Amino acid sequence: MIPVKGYAAPKANIPLAPFKFDRREVGPHDIQIDIKYCGVCHSDIHQVRDEWGGSIFPMVPGHEIVGTITKVGSGVTKFKVGETAGIGCFVDSCRHCPACLAGLEQYCEVGMVATYNGRDKEGQPTYGGYSNQIIVDEKYTLHISDKLPLSGVAPLLCAGITTYSPLMQWKVGKGHKVAVLGLGGLGHMAVKLAASLGAEVTVLSTSASKKVDAEKLGAHHFVVTSDAEQVKAVNNTFDFIINTISAQHEYNFYLQMLKLDGTMILLGVPPEAPTVAAFNLIGKRRRLAGSLIGGIKETQEMLDYCAERGITSDVEVINIDYINEAYERMIKGDVRYRFVIDMASL
Amino acid sequence: MIPVKGYAAPKANIPLAPFKFDRREVGPHDIQIDIKYCGVCHSDIHQVRDEWGGSIFPMVPGHEIVGTITKVGSGVTKFKVGETAGIGCFVDSCRHCPACLAGLEQYCEVGMVATYNGRDKEGQPTYGGYSNQIIVDEKYTLHISDKLPLSGVAPLLCAGITTYSPLMQWKVGKGHKVAVLGLGGLGHMAVKLAASLGAEVTVLSTSASKKVDAEKLGAHHFVVTSDAEQVKAVNNTFDFIINTISAQHEYNFYLQMLKLDGTMILLGVPPEAPTVAAFNLIGKRRRLAGSLIGGIKETQEMLDYCAERGITSDVEVINIDYINEAYERMIKGDVRYRFVIDMASL
């Protein structure tokens, strides 16, 4: 076994603290990564607090992982020692179901193996990226370009692919009016990516204070949703709304902003299921859709796309002993736009 | 003006009774139709009872109209006296907005002119097909084949196109598993049309008693939705669910029956907006969509398709003085599957 250092939540609602554990030896198809940076996703907080139920403790969170390959198994063909690699939200899947065969491992019918708070095929708990080493099968490992600052690349592994995948699936591009709802970790990536694809991007926000940032990120328009006049002006206008909000909110209010055949894509899960007025969809042939992260193939495409275009996440790099305070600030929305842990601080 | 006989609701919740009124003279682009049959749609009841608000009284309902052309205006080019013609849910629209120009008049941005309980461009109330004559612009008139029994063709003008249009939009056909939810006027047409397109059709019903009928209509499978085992067996299996239910019901229960990338298409409007659990869409990239009747071009395609394939609605032909009793039976679900008024009884 390989001894690893990390930070773990010992139980729900107990602060994270230093934690030592072991990882498996590097198998023939495995890669060992010396973790450099790990992004902090809002879902880390949900799981650490057991808000979704079934959390496994102690829990080492983290699924936005980048680092340097220090060892590869004898059967590894696509990676070499010394290269930069990334790990996203899952580290395995059944590999045989139609979803896996289609490169959509995130929708694996047996269930993907989450990077942390999951169980591997031997039934052992998985531990994530708030740690100094990780061992993963090369099939679930991503190539990372060295062109971009690694701290800003880490969040692409979750926030990046979660917003990129629906933009690809719905073929968003020039001529489309795209609204982004919620300007957080996901939302700021949605703005950057949609704008890079040539779409006309509007940020919808309750807070006028985000306007300057929205424009810096590449948004063309900004709508304060508490202003009835501004809302009226955008009703029936958007081809797509990328809805990144996980807090409680109304779907119907935003659905009316879609034009004929427009689609609102849900990326966040509010605590209580919102209502959907049928005529809001029927009257304009609108659509409400969901999307979950992305498959390995598409994640690699996204990483390559971002490397070519110089797209990274806007991050605030922190030491790992700041993680509990970082969580408190995230809950208040006080981060622009992603905390990333510098693992040298471990 | 042209004197017309019909049946009207004098006010909300007052029984329909004989009613005389005038229609406009036949203008240069108009067609006069001697109405032979008019289907009875559940929306007639909603509007007669002012359940959607804003009803205009006296109200002559009816938007599933077939009859014989008795006069055409001097500028009419596509219809001749003696031909059979049909009128559906609308008789005009702005003709200039992007939706109208795309042949999607039902989504007219100014608002389509409903066949009844609407107002024409002069602001006059429109009167529908529970009457012996109607005058409509040829642009909003459909060609009806004489191959099929006219009484069974009448409901195609609403129930037929309402189910045909989403099947076309979503390219439903061979290889697709399609569930039909609700076996009424819309549902029985959805079964016939989806089966005719080569899809594998399952009827979802709370009532086991509908199984024999479902199979006669062309369904391949039948699921009693109160049977947990039967439901479990179809979870994650359907490409599409055609949801025709207007009564209160849960969307989440049915959404879980969709496979990866599956779509539930709403055609009915429940009184209270149902909830949608975001993860039910996100976890399998499912979609919830709406669809509203169909444009004139597509309605003609549907009528031609049905004429070629011998597809009609299953109807119970009634005299017009039975209409109030028919409404009571429809509310109880006691009709297989559409009442159609024989206008000779007027």
Side-chain angles (χ1 to χ4, degrees):
Chain A
M1 301 294 273
I2 296 170
V4 179
K5 288 195 297 181
Y7 253 58
K11 283 188 181 178
N13 298 309
I14 305 285
L16 275 71
F19 176 66
K20 290 185 179 180
F21 60 105
D22 292 322
R23 296 201 186 266
R24 68 168 184 259
E25 292 292 339
V26 176
H29 301 289
D30 283 343
I31 284 163
Q32 182 172 358
I33 299 168
D34 184 44
I35 300 175
K36 299 295 184 199
Y37 293 98
C38 183
V40 182
C41 178
H42 210 98
S43 64
D44 298 351
I45 303 178
H46 287 301
Q47 292 175 84
V48 156
R49 298 189 172 194
D50 199 14
E51 290 172 356
W52 295 342
S55 282
I56 304 165
F57 295 98
M59 184 189 301
V60 178
H63 58 207
E64 296 182 339
I65 300 165
V66 291
T68 304
I69 297 176
T70 55
K71 192 173 179 182
V72 299
S74 57
V76 167
T77 59
K78 295 182 180 152
F79 294 87
K80 289 179 189 164
V81 169
E83 289 177 343
T84 306
I87 303 296
C89 297
F90 53 92
V91 291
D92 207 349
S93 64
C94 86
R95 309 182 185 203
H96 304 298
C97 74
C100 284
L101 295 176
L104 296 166
E105 302 90 349
Q106 74 272 38
Y107 302 112
C108 172
E109 292 179 9
V110 179
M112 61 181 176
V113 177
T115 299
Y116 71 89
N117 193 28
R119 289 195 183 274
D120 66 20
K121 287 173 179 169
E122 284 72 47
Q124 296 305 308
T126 54
Y127 296 115
Y130 295 9
S131 60
N132 64 339
Q133 301 284 333
I134 193 165
I135 288 102
V136 178
D137 188 301
E138 71 166 330
K139 281 191 195 298
Y140 297 83
T141 304
L142 288 308
H143 296 278
I144 302 284
S145 160
D146 289 319
K147 287 185 194 166
L148 301 175
L150 271 190
S151 59
V153 170
L156 300 181
L157 276 307
C158 172
I161 185 61
T162 298
T163 47
Y164 180 86
S165 183
L167 294 171
M168 290 298 111
Q169 203 212 352
W170 293 91
K171 299 182 172 53
V172 173
K174 278 183 192 169
H176 286 139
K177 294 187 180 191
V178 175
V180 174
L181 182 51
L183 198 61
L186 293 179
H188 92 290
M189 288 309 307
V191 171
K192 290 187 181 201
L193 291 167
S196 80
L197 290 162
E200 187 180 331
V201 179
T202 300
V203 168
L204 305 173
S205 178
T206 51
S207 165
S209 67
K210 294 195 175 172
K211 187 174 181 188
V212 173
D213 263 24
E215 286 167 1
K216 273 189 207 159
L217 292 165
H220 306 89
H221 312 285
F222 187 86
V223 168
V224 180
T225 52
S226 54
D227 181 329
E229 282 304 307
Q230 290 189 41
V231 169
K232 196 177 166 194
V234 295
N235 278 343
N236 300 306
T237 64
F238 297 121
D239 295 283
F240 298 97
I241 298 175
I242 311 295
N243 182 343
T244 71
I245 301 182
S246 295
Q248 207 60 47
H249 65 293
E250 285 289 327
Y251 288 164
N252 292 310
F253 178 74
Y254 299 103
L255 285 171
Q256 71 183 345
M257 298 180 187
L258 293 170
K259 65 165 66 156
L260 179 62
D261 289 330
T263 303
M264 180 156 84
I265 299 156
L266 304 178
L267 304 179
V269 180
E272 303 287 328
T275 61
V276 172
F279 201 77
N280 219 342
L281 296 177
I282 292 172
K284 289 279 181 188
R285 202 160 67 175
R286 293 168 176 137
R287 296 165 293 204
L288 183 66
S291 186
L292 179 69
I293 45 177
I296 293 296
K297 180 166 175 284
E298 194 173 51
T299 303
Q300 189 63 61
E301 285 170 13
M302 178 274 306
L303 289 165
D304 296 346
Y305 176 87
C306 288
E308 275 170 35
R309 305 289 187 110
I311 296 170
T312 55
S313 178
D314 287 13
V315 301
E316 179 175 340
V317 176
I318 60 171
N319 288 339
I320 198 161
D321 61 6
Y322 187 74
I323 188 65
N324 295 299
E325 201 168 335
Y327 281 2
E328 294 303 322
R329 282 183 52 197
M330 285 165 70
I331 288 163
K332 286 184 255 172
D334 177 22
V335 53
R336 290 182 176 182
Y337 281 92
R338 204 65 151 180
F339 287 117
V340 171
I341 304 164
D342 179 351
M343 220 50 72
S345 65
L346 185 65
Chain B
M1 302 295 273
I2 296 171
V4 178
K5 287 195 298 181
Y7 253 58
K11 283 187 181 179
N13 298 308
I14 305 286
L16 275 71
F19 176 65
K20 289 186 179 178
F21 61 106
D22 292 322
R23 294 199 187 268
R24 68 169 184 258
E25 291 292 339
V26 176
H29 302 290
D30 284 343
I31 283 162
Q32 180 171 358
I33 299 169
D34 184 44
I35 301 176
K36 299 295 184 199
Y37 293 99
C38 182
V40 182
C41 177
H42 210 97
S43 63
D44 298 352
I45 302 178
H46 286 301
Q47 291 176 84
V48 155
R49 298 187 172 196
D50 199 14
E51 290 171 357
W52 294 344
S55 283
I56 303 166
F57 295 99
M59 184 190 298
V60 178
H63 58 206
E64 296 181 339
I65 299 165
V66 291
T68 305
I69 297 175
T70 54
K71 194 170 177 183
V72 299
S74 56
V76 167
T77 59
K78 294 181 182 155
F79 294 88
K80 289 179 189 163
V81 169
E83 287 177 347
T84 305
I87 303 296
C89 296
F90 53 92
V91 290
D92 207 347
S93 64
C94 86
R95 310 183 184 201
H96 303 296
C97 74
C100 283
L101 294 177
L104 297 166
E105 302 90 350
Q106 74 273 36
Y107 302 112
C108 172
E109 292 180 9
V110 180
M112 63 181 175
V113 177
T115 301
Y116 71 89
N117 194 27
R119 290 197 183 271
D120 66 20
K121 287 173 180 170
E122 284 73 45
Q124 296 304 309
T126 54
Y127 296 115
Y130 295 8
S131 59
N132 65 339
Q133 301 284 332
I134 193 164
I135 289 102
V136 179
D137 188 301
E138 72 167 328
K139 279 191 196 299
Y140 297 83
T141 304
L142 288 310
H143 295 278
I144 302 284
S145 160
D146 289 319
K147 286 185 193 165
L148 301 175
L150 272 191
S151 59
V153 170
L156 300 181
L157 276 306
C158 171
I161 185 61
T162 298
T163 47
Y164 180 87
S165 183
L167 293 170
M168 290 299 110
Q169 204 213 351
W170 292 91
K171 299 182 172 54
V172 173
K174 278 184 190 166
H176 286 140
K177 294 187 180 190
V178 175
V180 174
L181 181 51
L183 199 60
L186 293 179
H188 93 290
M189 288 310 306
V191 171
K192 289 187 180 199
L193 290 168
S196 80
L197 290 163
E200 187 179 332
V201 179
T202 300
V203 167
L204 306 174
S205 178
T206 52
S207 165
S209 67
K210 293 196 174 172
K211 187 175 180 187
V212 173
D213 264 24
E215 286 168 0
K216 273 188 205 160
L217 292 166
H220 307 91
H221 312 285
F222 187 88
V223 168
V224 179
T225 52
S226 54
D227 181 329
E229 282 303 307
Q230 290 189 41
V231 169
K232 196 177 165 192
V234 295
N235 278 343
N236 301 306
T237 63
F238 298 120
D239 295 282
F240 297 97
I241 298 175
I242 310 294
N243 181 342
T244 71
I245 301 182
S246 295
Q248 207 61 47
H249 66 293
E250 285 290 326
Y251 288 164
N252 292 309
F253 178 75
Y254 299 102
L255 285 171
Q256 70 183 344
M257 298 180 187
L258 292 170
K259 66 164 67 155
L260 179 62
D261 289 330
T263 304
M264 179 155 84
I265 299 156
L266 305 178
L267 304 179
V269 180
E272 303 288 329
T275 61
V276 172
F279 200 77
N280 218 342
L281 296 177
I282 292 172
K284 289 279 180 190
R285 203 161 65 176
R286 293 166 176 139
R287 296 165 294 202
L288 182 66
S291 186
L292 179 69
I293 47 177
I296 292 296
K297 182 166 175 282
E298 194 173 53
T299 303
Q300 189 63 62
E301 285 170 14
M302 177 275 306
L303 288 164
D304 296 346
Y305 177 87
C306 288
E308 274 169 33
R309 305 290 186 108
I311 296 171
T312 55
S313 176
D314 287 13
V315 301
E316 180 175 338
V317 176
I318 60 170
N319 288 340
I320 198 162
D321 61 6
Y322 187 74
I323 188 65
N324 295 298
E325 200 168 336
Y327 281 2
E328 293 304 323
R329 283 182 53 197
M330 285 165 71
I331 288 163
K332 285 183 257 172
D334 177 22
V335 53
R336 289 184 178 181
Y337 280 92
R338 204 65 151 178
F339 286 118
V340 171
I341 304 165
D342 181 349
M343 220 51 71
S345 66
L346 185 64

